[in-house]
Amino acid sequence: MARFSLSKGRLITLGVVIALVVLAVLTVHDWHQLWKISSAPDNVPIVAMLFLVPFFTWLGIKQARANDRLVEELEKDPKLAKTHHRKAEPWRPGWARDIHVWPYLVRIEFLAAVIVTVILFVWSITLNAPLEEPANPNLTMNPSKAPWYFLGLQEMLVYFDPWIAGVVMPSLIMVGLMVFPYVDSNPLGNGYYTIKQRRVALWMFCAGFLQWILLIVIGTFIRGPGWIWFWPGQTWDHNAVVYDRNRDLHDIVADMIGFTQLSSSWVLKMIFGAIVVGLFFVVGALFFHWLLTRGGLDRMDRSLPFWKRVWLWMKTPDPFEQKLLARTSLLQYATFQFFAITVLLAMPVKLILRLVFTIKYVWVTPWFNV
Amino acid sequence: MDPERPDQKETKQLTGDEKPSAGLISKVRESGAALKERAVEEAKTYKDPQDTQLWKSIFRVSHDRSDPRNRSLAVLSNVFLHLHPAKINRDAVRYAFTWGMGGITFYLFIVLTFTGVLLMFYYHPTKADAFRDILYLEHDVPFGKLLRNMHRWAAHLMVITTWLHMFRVVLTGSYKRPREFNWCVGVVLLVLTLLLSFTGYLLPDDQLGFWAVTVGTNMARATPMLGSEGPFGVQLGMTPFNDVRFGLLGGSIVDANALLRSYIWHCIGIPLVASIFMAVHFWRIRKDGGISGPAPMVLESEMKAIKKK
């Protein structure tokens, strides 16, 4: 195992992290508010997730790296590949490949059950489940938040109309998860940790998972009364009013090019929106097609400076990823594109359109708005 | 002959006044000693509980460690353990590979069922009683507060462990052939877990649950075609009194019927469906060849160019 050393890159990363932490601490005006949100009993799970997700990601990456190193070694040495047991775990000839479930697995399960029980007891003794005033339809809670695991959907309401955020998106996420194994045509990496052999699949899933967690974090820590954006550490002001400057895309375009009919005629609005959404799908499809054929940045010439390496990476298709693409059927490809664009890309694009460019709808029709 | 016998006996008893009584005592002593010996002998066999009829009737298999076959039988002949194979890959027991999240999720489901049933003894799903029952649980029922806290936190923990389990399955590529279908069953279980947690949220009938469920079910109003405020809903004759939200709440507002529906979904409906899916999920793990790994790695150079059908 390589021993930990402070290389230049690591020092820079460390410096940036420290600078960010210091900056975050300096910008906190109201520690009490921050503590109130983080220590709310029902928010404990999401605070725990902030630590658990990075920990388990690290644990997975650590094993994937060990496996990837071994794969590289075996690729170079076909003779060794023939005799090697093909795992990063230690192995000696003569060792049994299988072990008895009783007691070697059953004892682990028993221990896990005991540990979980102890954790639950300690958690339940030290922290009480929340109980507010009796339900009162005449007194609206402000902010009234969904349970933490659904806060992602509630936060999505800011960017989409309820029929998309509350019904279509959750259904798409569910179906998208279900088709995941059927569109992944890569036969490698079945039953072991690896990054290099399954780059695209991993990035796609992690992008979705992180988006989901990020939306929950925004919903938990940032959204205050009136669902207004309060930075962590900012006091929740119940009288705060935000002047809503959000406009529809067709209005902005109509003003820009001086074509006023675009903001008055519903037919024109509808056609304009359809074209914009259509364009989004085309650009999205091109983007994902491009992404599908990129390999790892580490496969580029390491002697080049970083930005040149990135440029080279952007330009060169990876032979291995191309091989994978050739195995993908048209149906698999189209299904992947559909879910990638509608779930993975539409969400962040709409978020940026709304928060940065203050655009409300891109497609307005008499029946629905997107 | 008959009258003679009693005579003979009597004469025997009569002739020796002390001898017969001494014989009786010694006889009793003798049989007592024999009984004791037998009891001691029998008690010796009880010293090893595994030799008792009771034990054998329950476990059927000896746990004699000298015979490795017994270790397999211990698993195969036990209804709770037979979900496991007798032997597994030696690296599969490393914590780092599975993180144990699937098993912990199942254990939490058991904990939730246990605490949930206990909570049901103290809870009435009615507007008049629900909130008071929670106060009663917290202040009067012995260990009631602990019970409620445990149910709440185990539910949150189950959501977390389900997500982490899914994350691990993706990282190890365990959803790949032949486990695609079991992944789909898992996705359904994930959704059921979230719904279980969500339906439980309303039950204390406090402001927190009431508004969370109000926000949640308001979205149902916007369901395309089936909601009164969704796209094409009005055109299809949807009103707040016949749309999908009405069906969920049993009314047009979150009230007594919503509480009852929530309760029944939470305690009976969803757990029942989830149990069936769980049975399939676990059964399929075995049928799909057990736990996925750690499997021997396949190299890029060994990948065939065209997919085998």
Side-chain angles (χ1 to χ4, degrees):
Chain A
M1 271 215 26
R3 286 189 59 191
F4 184 80
S5 63
L6 275 180
S7 67
K8 200 174 144 195
R10 274 186 177 148
L11 269 177
I12 293 173
T13 320
L14 195 69
V16 170
V17 169
I18 291 174
L20 280 176
V21 169
V22 170
L23 198 70
V25 169
L26 284 178
T27 52
V28 170
H29 294 297
D30 190 346
W31 284 100
H32 178 69
Q33 180 74 60
L34 192 62
W35 174 246
K36 223 170 116 185
I37 301 170
S38 330
S39 66
D42 262 0
N43 285 345
V44 168
I46 193 64
V47 175
M49 285 293 267
L50 285 180
F51 295 96
L52 288 172
V53 173
F55 170 74
F56 281 107
T57 311
W58 167 80
L59 191 62
I61 289 177
K62 193 182 133 200
Q63 294 174 78
R65 281 202 169 159
N67 286 345
D68 284 345
R69 270 197 296 272
L70 183 64
V71 163
E72 212 171 325
E73 215 176 292
L74 295 179
E75 289 278 13
K76 280 181 197 156
D77 190 352
K79 221 176 180 183
L80 181 67
K82 268 187 187 159
T83 53
H84 199 276
H85 76 290
R86 302 275 186 110
K87 287 182 195 177
E89 282 84 19
W91 170 259
R92 251 182 250 160
W95 277 5
R97 282 184 193 277
D98 297 321
I99 50 168
H100 278 286
V101 161
W102 181 285
Y104 298 110
L105 177 62
V106 179
R107 72 180 178 193
I108 291 176
E109 291 172 340
F110 177 69
L111 265 180
V114 170
I115 291 167
V116 171
T117 311
V118 169
I119 290 174
L120 270 180
F121 264 101
V122 172
W123 191 356
S124 305
I125 289 168
T126 51
L127 204 63
N128 283 328
L131 187 68
E132 302 272 340
E133 301 283 303
N136 183 355
N138 298 317
L139 184 67
T140 314
M141 293 262 285
N142 191 12
S144 49
K145 291 190 178 185
W148 64 275
Y149 41 82
F150 280 148
L151 272 182
L153 295 181
Q154 203 181 347
E155 175 61 16
M156 239 188 255
L157 280 172
V158 175
Y159 314 107
F160 293 106
D161 273 1
W163 68 276
I164 301 183
V167 185
V168 176
M169 271 293 184
S171 314
L172 282 180
I173 293 172
M174 239 181 91
V175 180
L177 279 173
M178 285 194 188
V179 299
F180 198 75
Y182 298 100
V183 297
D184 183 1
S185 59
N186 183 352
L188 302 184
N190 188 345
Y192 54 91
Y193 289 92
T194 170
I195 297 172
K196 285 186 179 174
Q197 294 186 339
R198 299 179 47 224
R199 238 181 224 104
V200 176
L202 286 183
W203 276 115
M204 290 300 133
F205 183 84
C206 288
F209 193 52
L210 287 182
Q211 265 182 42
W212 180 250
I213 302 277
L214 190 75
L215 284 178
I216 293 175
V217 169
I218 293 177
T220 309
F221 294 101
I222 290 179
R223 293 299 179 177
W227 213 255
I228 291 171
W229 188 286
F230 291 96
W231 289 103
Q234 214 179 331
T235 313
W236 280 9
D237 180 1
H238 281 261
N239 300 314
V241 179
V242 172
Y243 176 59
D244 211 357
R245 294 167 297 133
N246 298 318
R247 300 173 71 200
D248 296 337
L249 186 62
H250 57 80
D251 285 335
I252 297 173
V253 173
D255 278 359
M256 257 162 52
I257 59 171
F259 183 57
T260 46
Q261 281 94 328
L262 189 53
S263 17
S264 51
S265 155
W266 69 267
V267 181
L268 284 179
K269 275 190 223 173
M270 199 168 72
I271 296 170
F272 171 81
I275 293 172
V276 171
V277 172
L279 269 177
F280 167 73
F281 268 83
V282 172
V283 173
L286 288 173
F287 168 71
F288 279 112
H289 186 86
W290 169 81
L291 201 65
L292 276 180
T293 49
R294 289 315 101 166
L297 197 57
D298 54 300
R299 296 198 183 202
M300 299 298 124
D301 186 1
R302 275 177 178 267
S303 60
L304 289 171
F306 181 72
W307 64 270
K308 267 192 178 168
R309 231 190 313 160
V310 172
W311 180 242
L312 190 68
W313 172 80
M314 285 168 75
K315 284 197 302 183
T316 13
D318 186 78
F320 170 61
E321 300 294 343
Q322 279 180 316
K323 225 157 99 183
L324 288 182
L325 194 60
R327 300 167 57 91
T328 311
S329 74
L330 278 177
L331 182 62
Q332 284 176 321
Y333 181 79
T335 315
F336 164 76
Q337 283 281 15
F338 174 74
F339 284 104
I341 297 169
T342 49
V343 180
L344 292 179
L345 194 61
M347 185 51 233
V349 164
K350 200 71 203 289
L351 187 139
I352 290 167
L353 282 182
R354 177 65 195 265
L355 293 182
V356 181
F357 298 102
T358 60
I359 291 170
K360 195 170 182 206
Y361 292 124
V362 290
W363 189 10
V364 175
T365 76
W367 312 284
F368 63 87
N369 305 317
V370 176
Chain B
M1 292 292 276
D2 273 334
E4 278 181 3
R5 274 192 177 170
D7 281 337
Q8 280 174 345
K9 272 183 189 171
E10 268 175 32
T11 48
K12 270 186 185 173
Q13 278 173 348
L14 285 171
T15 46
D17 235 346
E18 286 176 25
K19 268 184 187 172
S21 66
L24 188 67
I25 289 168
S26 64
K27 228 178 180 180
V28 169
R29 270 189 187 156
E30 250 170 53
S31 59
L35 198 66
K36 190 183 161 194
E37 205 172 311
R38 208 175 128 186
V40 169
E41 205 58 36
E42 216 175 291
K44 269 182 196 163
T45 62
Y46 294 145
K47 265 191 180 169
D48 186 0
Q50 295 192 18
D51 270 349
T52 59
Q53 189 186 357
L54 179 68
W55 178 280
K56 283 176 182 167
S57 72
I58 300 172
F59 295 106
R60 319 213 72 98
V61 180
S62 142
H63 286 187
D64 180 9
R65 288 182 183 204
S66 58
D67 185 1
R69 206 173 64 107
N70 286 332
R71 290 186 171 181
S72 305
L73 287 173
V75 171
L76 298 178
S77 61
N78 182 307
V79 70
F80 301 106
L81 296 179
H82 91 283
L83 177 114
H84 289 309
K87 280 180 161 191
I88 48 164
N89 185 335
R90 77 174 299 128
D91 299 315
V93 291
R94 291 168 182 268
Y95 313 107
F97 183 74
T98 62
W99 312 345
M101 285 301 161
I104 290 175
T105 306
F106 179 51
Y107 177 65
L108 286 170
F109 181 79
I110 296 170
V111 170
L112 284 163
T113 309
F114 183 72
T115 52
V117 168
L118 290 179
L119 284 172
M120 282 171 84
F121 287 125
Y122 299 100
Y123 179 83
H124 307 78
T126 60
K127 282 302 258 189
D129 290 324
F131 189 77
R132 282 182 211 180
D133 285 342
I134 306 298
L135 292 181
Y136 177 57
L137 259 166
E138 291 210 331
H139 300 290
D140 294 307
V141 176
F143 299 109
K145 202 173 209 170
L146 182 72
L147 195 63
R148 176 167 124 82
N149 289 350
M150 217 161 178
H151 194 73
R152 181 89 168 200
W153 303 138
H156 282 327
L157 201 58
M158 189 173 160
V159 173
I160 294 179
T161 54
T162 312
W163 287 3
L164 290 176
H165 173 60
M166 181 173 75
F167 190 36
R168 191 280 296 177
V169 168
V170 170
L171 288 186
T172 54
S174 304
Y175 58 79
K176 295 189 179 203
R177 198 187 295 206
R179 297 181 180 79
E180 304 102 315
F181 179 70
N182 214 14
W183 162 269
C184 294
V185 175
V187 173
V188 174
L189 281 170
L190 168 75
V191 175
L192 289 175
T193 307
L194 295 179
L195 288 180
L196 264 175
S197 197
F198 189 63
T199 48
Y201 220 66
L202 181 66
L203 299 185
D205 198 28
D206 65 341
Q207 281 284 70
L208 198 65
F210 177 84
W211 287 104
V213 171
T214 304
V215 169
T217 50
N218 274 348
M219 290 196 208
R221 238 199 298 245
T223 311
M225 294 186 277
L226 294 175
S228 57
E229 287 173 16
F232 309 111
V234 180
Q235 287 86 340
L236 288 168
M238 288 296 154
T239 70
F241 305 101
N242 66 1
D243 67 350
V244 63
R245 180 171 174 274
F246 191 93
L248 287 174
L249 296 178
S252 57
I253 52 166
V254 181
D255 205 35
N257 283 350
L259 192 61
L260 184 63
R261 286 191 184 200
S262 225
Y263 178 72
I264 292 170
W265 277 121
H266 185 73
C267 303
I268 300 166
I270 305 177
L272 212 63
V273 179
S275 303
I276 295 169
F277 274 90
M278 265 188 271
V280 176
H281 199 56
F282 300 157
W283 184 75
R284 282 301 290 244
I285 296 175
R286 289 296 304 281
K287 292 293 151 185
D288 295 340
I291 191 167
S292 67
M297 291 180 282
V298 182
L299 305 182
E300 276 180 40
S301 50
E302 293 163 346
M303 193 173 75
K304 284 173 186 120
I306 301 153
K307 197 160 97 184
K308 252 201 309 191
K309 279 278 169 192

